[in-house]
Amino acid sequence: MARYGMVIDTKRCVGCHACVISCFVENQIPDGYTRSWITEITQGEFPKLRTEIFSERCNHCENAPCVSVCPTGASWIDEETGIVNINTKLCTGCKACMAACPYDARFVNPKGYADKCSFCEHRTRKGLASACATTCPTSAITFGDLDNPASELHKKLAGRQVVTRKPEKGTKPKIFYLK
Amino acid sequence: MTEIVSGNVNPHISPHMEIWEWQIPAYLFLGGLVAGLMVLNGIWRLQGKQLEGQSVLRLGAIFAPVLLSLGMLFLFLDLTYKVHVFRFYTAFKPASPMSWGAWILLLVYPVQILALALPGGIDRFGWKLEFLNPLWERIKGITAKFEKQIAWISIASGSGLGIYTGILLSVNAARPIWNSSILGPLFLVSGLSAGAAFALLLNPSNKEERKLVRLDTAFLAGELILLILFVIGHLSGVQANRESLELIMGGGFTAPFWGFVVGLGILLPLWLEVRELTHKPTPFWIAPVFVLAGGLALRFVFVFAGQAG
């Protein structure tokens, strides 16, 4: 039993897109689609501007609206890992999950089924970190088990201001951003 | 100033969501219309057979499964993994409105057939369907004993169908303009109104026409009240809901919403129907045509506005 999550340090992220590219390669994402992306938020008035850069993907929410709206059970939460998964054999391509996701993390794979970040399940089940976390050259992305207090994740979280994306949606994301 | 640059380049997701195109609003409209026909059918039966004419009990009941099948064809066209369509029926997920919808759609067909087998529906099949008549006689023998029960089931399952078409959208907190439970009753009442309007175009008797027009004024007035409640609910709601109202209050959907949905789809036919009820000369077909167009516009505006915001 584990509860996989991710910590992303917005102060370390330089927006180099290495995470995006490593995800393409690792998961063989079809051309023109992406499971992860970089967001830049610039605030203030010129010349006093402040830009925050961070990497985004499926938040693997504990209270995942994509799972509750799915009519066939194709979207499901793996109790062993906490990963929000897609069983492509059950997916009809009705796109209810895409309408439900506040993060727009899903897309329709050209093969017809809903697709999104899998937390590199094929790697993480073997004890490896996700491809994006492994590749990140500034160590801005840390992957690990939220239930393990000794994990690298908890060390990163200590003493920092932590936010999640769109907390008002009540989805309980498992990706935490360090301000 | 806040500027957000997102690298999410997925088609139909970015720059704004366009996952549900014309098929979904067209289906939601037809589903609502059929729900309206089923509820009217039940009401007609419960009130006895004093209402002569065949608009609701016969023609409306024949059109219901045809229109619903057309709607389901649209739903099928929307699926991106069409060979997996049977997966809707290998699971029931109580938290998923779409799962409820899939099963409700399966339930309403037999109810519609039972309603057709009642007096005033289809008495005998002609043309090349005569071989069905022996079976039909047996079904009629059974249904005749349960007319009231079938009427109630027709009202209940029709209402379920109408409400779910709204709830399908409203559960999505991610799309703030949809996120109002008013959408369930709103889409139901709009469907009832569309059902009455459709029946008015099916050559009703004078008595039936008057009753349909009277009911439709009530449905249209109800729809107007629900729309006002929807706007008030969003204005007094959380920030995201308040901001999403911009879409119909100055944003890109302002003209279609207030012009087509409210003006031409509710206020104009309401005025025409009140004229008709007060015995002023009014062409009978104009109001129903605008009601139907307004019902279709309501679904299009909501489905597209939710994805744009």
Side-chain angles (χ1 to χ4, degrees), chain A residues 34 38 40 42 69 91 99 101 112, chain B residues 3 5 7 10 80 84 96 175:
Chain A
T34 186
I38 299 289
E40 288 182 32
T42 306
V69 300
C91 181
C101 176
Chain B
E3 189 184 80
V5 180
N10 285 318
T80 56
H84 280 181
S96 161
R175 318 288 153 203

Side-chain angles (χ1 to χ4, degrees), chain B residues 52-113:
Chain B
E52 289 165 26
Q54 50 178 2
S55 166
V56 169
L57 290 183
R58 184 175 153 81
L59 294 174
I62 292 173
F63 268 106
V66 176
L67 294 174
L68 194 63
S69 302
L70 183 65
M72 284 177 77
L73 171 71
F74 293 158
L75 275 187
F76 178 70
L77 290 178
D78 172 70
L79 296 181
T80 56
Y81 213 142
K82 292 186 174 52
V83 292
H84 280 181
V85 64
F86 71 97
R87 287 299 184 185
F88 283 107
Y89 300 107
T90 56
F92 172 61
K93 296 281 168 186
S96 161
M98 205 182 274
S99 184
W100 278 96
W103 286 102
I104 288 174
L105 286 172
L106 213 59
L107 171 78
V108 296
Y109 275 107
V111 176
Q112 290 173 347
I113 290 168

Side-chain angles (χ1 to χ4, degrees), chain A:
Chain A
M1 290 288 281
R3 197 163 59 96
Y4 289 138
M6 209 174 251
V7 170
I8 296 175
D9 192 336
T10 59
K11 288 219 162 78
R12 281 179 172 268
C13 178
V14 293
C16 70
H17 286 79
C19 50
V20 178
I21 303 298
S22 67
C23 175
F24 275 142
V25 177
E26 179 70 30
N27 296 296
Q28 297 177 8
I29 310 294
D31 262 2
Y33 296 82
T34 186
R35 284 184 181 180
S36 67
W37 62 95
I38 299 289
T39 301
E40 288 182 32
I41 301 178
T42 306
Q43 286 174 306
E45 294 298 329
F46 183 81
K48 287 187 176 168
L49 294 170
R50 183 180 178 280
T51 297
E52 192 175 52
I53 308 172
F54 50 93
S55 166
E56 284 201 84
R57 63 197 43 59
C58 167
N59 280 279
H60 295 273
C61 307
E62 289 190 51
N63 185 16
C66 54
V67 172
S68 50
V69 300
C70 178
T72 66
S75 278
W76 62 293
I77 296 182
D78 191 331
E79 298 290 333
E80 261 182 64
T81 58
I83 292 175
V84 175
N85 244 325
I86 299 169
N87 183 345
T88 56
K89 289 196 182 101
L90 298 180
C91 181
T92 63
C94 72
K95 293 162 285 192
C97 54
M98 296 164 71
C101 176
Y103 310 103
D104 290 345
R106 290 169 171 251
F107 57 91
V108 178
N109 186 291
K111 286 182 183 152
Y113 50 78
D115 200 334
K116 68 168 191 70
C117 163
S118 64
F119 260 180
C120 283
E121 197 190 7
H122 58 288
R123 292 173 56 89
T124 48
R125 272 189 179 278
K126 287 185 209 156
L128 297 166
S130 62
C132 53
T134 309
T135 303
C136 180
T138 62
S139 299
I141 305 175
T142 311
F143 182 89
D145 181 3
L146 291 163
D147 279 347
N148 177 7
S151 72
E152 193 67 17
L153 273 187
H154 286 275
K155 284 180 202 152
K156 291 262 181 182
L157 288 167
R160 294 287 296 273
Q161 190 196 343
V162 181
V163 294
T164 54
R165 297 287 286 149
K166 300 187 182 178
E168 72 279 5
K169 299 293 180 190
T171 54
K172 289 191 170 178
K174 289 207 292 289
I175 295 186
F176 301 90
Y177 291 91
L178 304 179
K179 293 287 261 187

